[in-house]
Amino acid sequence: GHFTSPRHSECKLAALELFAIFAFATCGGYSGGLRLSVDCANKTESNLSIDIAFAYPFRLHQVTFEVPTCEGKEQQKLALTGDSSSSAEFFVTVAVFAFLYSLAATVVYIFFQNKYRENNRGPLIDFIVTVVFSFLWLVGSSAWAKGLSDVKVATDPKEVLLLMSACKQPSNKCMAVHSPVMSSLNTSVVFGFLNFILWAGNIWFVFKETGWHSSGQRYLSDPMEKHSSSYNQGGYNQDSYGSSGGYSQQASMGPSSDEFGQQSSGPASFTNQI
């Protein structure tokens, strides 16, 4: 038959699980902070270490902190601006459910192989879910990329200093001591798009499982059938294998999985550039 070898499927699912874990761990596990200093003309009113901490899910408007006004002991109460929680939580939710689905699929592949093949229902559900998750990864990663850029602006020490009344007086010195480290959040966006590429690349493999493409081929004339099956095998000459369907289907998995490997190496090199 044209069923993917179990080992191939298990490796593929393990990759999906691993990349989903990376995506939600790098975003959902994030906590960061920045430090500012306000050096007042009257030194007794200064605060040289104002720490502002924030974390997932990035409801920044709820992050409050106090800074000196440099007018007596009075403090100014401020909050960061913006709320990226909807995009961050959506991204993490997609990642968690993608992980759980991959885990469930692994169990089905290993222990319920026959049930999976029954009535073609397993491959059909697999195909629909794969298409849906590809779409969700694309939407979730794009939304979170935008959310992250908002977080970067809102937590930029220069932007935060502009909120402070003391910093508007030239006699007071306001400085950024350190900025938040965003590398893991940048990584989470990259993993989001890598997950999209992995799931989208998987659509073709899962589609072949449904058997739709093979039933479609049966109705084509003989020369067309030869042409389409040689195309499926990445340009291998069909005649050299004879017309044995089972063997050529297995052979077709070789080049396809290589293409799949090359696909994900593109974004990986993109990660390295970052």
Side-chain angles (χ1 to χ4, degrees):
H2 53 255
F3 185 58
T4 316
S5 73
R7 182 171 293 174
H8 179 87
S9 296
E10 285 161 35
C11 292
K12 204 165 58 183
L13 286 164
L16 294 177
E17 285 163 31
L18 200 61
F19 275 72
I21 289 170
F22 283 141
F24 70 72
T26 48
C27 176
Y30 180 84
S31 63
L34 59 151
R35 180 177 291 174
L36 309 170
S37 78
V38 178
D39 192 1
C40 300
N42 179 355
K43 302 295 181 201
T44 59
E45 296 165 357
S46 301
N47 184 348
L48 303 182
S49 183
I50 302 161
D51 285 308
I52 306 165
F54 61 96
Y56 172 85
F58 309 103
R59 291 191 179 89
L60 300 179
H61 64 293
Q62 293 176 2
V63 177
T64 57
F65 53 100
E66 290 191 344
V67 296
T69 57
C70 296
E71 295 167 3
K73 290 290 177 196
E74 199 186 323
Q75 297 281 305
Q76 182 186 14
K77 194 169 186 185
L78 292 170
L80 296 176
T81 52
D83 181 0
S84 296
S85 61
S86 56
S87 61
E89 286 172 338
F90 181 71
F91 180 78
V92 168
T93 304
V94 170
V96 169
F97 278 103
F99 169 73
L100 292 174
Y101 178 76
S102 305
L103 203 60
T106 308
V107 171
V108 169
Y109 269 125
I110 296 170
F111 298 107
F112 303 102
Q113 191 64 253
N114 297 336
K115 276 265 189 287
Y116 178 82
R117 305 304 303 155
E118 222 170 70
N119 307 329
N120 209 27
R121 191 175 295 166
L124 186 62
I125 293 168
D126 208 3
F127 175 68
I128 292 165
V129 173
T130 303
V131 171
V132 169
F133 268 117
S134 301
F135 175 72
L136 290 176
W137 273 119
L138 180 61
V139 172
S141 302
S142 306
W144 170 228
K146 169 72 174 77
L148 176 55
S149 71
D150 294 344
V151 169
K152 285 178 176 175
V153 171
T155 59
D156 180 352
K158 293 188 193 73
E159 293 289 322
V160 181
L161 289 174
L162 295 174
L163 303 171
M164 302 181 189
S165 60
C167 301
K168 294 180 172 68
Q169 305 300 326
S171 56
N172 306 320
K173 290 193 184 73
C174 296
M175 282 173 57
V177 181
H178 73 72
S179 302
V181 179
M182 296 286 188
S183 50
S184 79
L185 295 182
N186 292 333
T187 308
S188 71
V189 171
V190 173
F191 274 117
F193 285 109
L194 278 175
N195 272 296
F196 162 66
I197 289 165
L198 279 175
W199 283 82
N202 204 21
I203 289 173
W204 170 240
F205 294 105
V206 180
F207 177 68
K208 288 210 289 192
E209 296 290 296
T210 62
W212 287 341
H213 87 301
S214 54
S215 61
Q217 279 178 346
R218 273 187 222 122
Y219 296 110
L220 295 168
S221 60
D222 253 347
M224 279 300 286
E225 189 176 339
K226 271 192 179 182
H227 175 75
S228 65
S229 45
S230 67
Y231 171 76
N232 281 345
Q233 289 165 30
Y236 279 127
N237 186 355
Q238 172 74 7
D239 297 332
S240 64
Y241 289 132
S243 56
S244 147
Y247 178 76
S248 50
Q249 282 294 348
Q250 284 171 348
S252 78
M253 283 316 296
S256 303
S257 55
D258 283 349
E259 285 161 23
F260 193 66
Q262 287 162 9
Q263 240 182 343
S264 50
S265 74
S269 63
F270 171 68
T271 319
N272 294 340
Q273 286 168 17
I274 286 183

